[in-house]
Amino acid sequence: MKRSRFSEAQIIGILKEHQAGMSAPDLCRKHGISDATFYNWRRKYGGMEVADAKRLKALEAENTKLKKMLAEQMMDVATLKEMLG
């Protein structure tokens, strides 16, 4: 997955500029991003503070780790069932 040029703090700062009254096309031009990127950020980070975004990132990382552990456990169980059956 491609890494963003902008940190969560920078993204939230850009979104706060929009809330302060700056238009979306002007913001996109100023920061060199596409309209689609801006609206995706607004959907994901809209209304968040920097601490909330950091917590979201930590929770997503933990969720990924747990999903991987679950998949490994399910594979172990399937292997044991196959050996016993």
Side-chain angles (χ1 to χ4, degrees):
M1 189 171 179
K2 186 176 178 185
R3 196 173 149 251
S4 176
R5 296 185 299 162
F6 297 95
S7 68
E8 286 89 11
Q10 290 171 321
I11 292 170
I12 291 171
I14 292 169
L15 294 175
K16 286 188 186 270
E17 285 181 45
H18 177 66
Q19 289 175 348
M22 195 168 188
S23 70
D26 290 340
L27 274 174
C28 293
R29 205 172 308 111
K30 177 181 173 185
H31 295 287
I33 58 174
S34 70
D35 288 341
T37 299
F38 173 77
Y39 290 112
N40 283 335
W41 286 351
R42 194 173 77 174
R43 180 176 41 91
K44 185 172 183 179
Y45 298 107
M48 283 189 181
E49 295 296 325
V50 175
D52 297 334
K54 287 183 180 182
R55 178 154 167 73
L56 174 66
K57 190 172 186 177
L59 288 172
E60 286 174 344
E62 182 182 6
N63 192 26
T64 302
K65 185 176 115 180
L66 291 172
K67 283 182 179 181
K68 185 176 179 180
M69 287 173 50
L70 176 64
E72 290 173 355
Q73 289 295 329
M74 289 176 69
M75 197 162 59
D76 290 345
V77 168
T79 304
L80 288 174
K81 282 184 180 180
E82 191 175 299
M83 291 175 85
L84 292 176

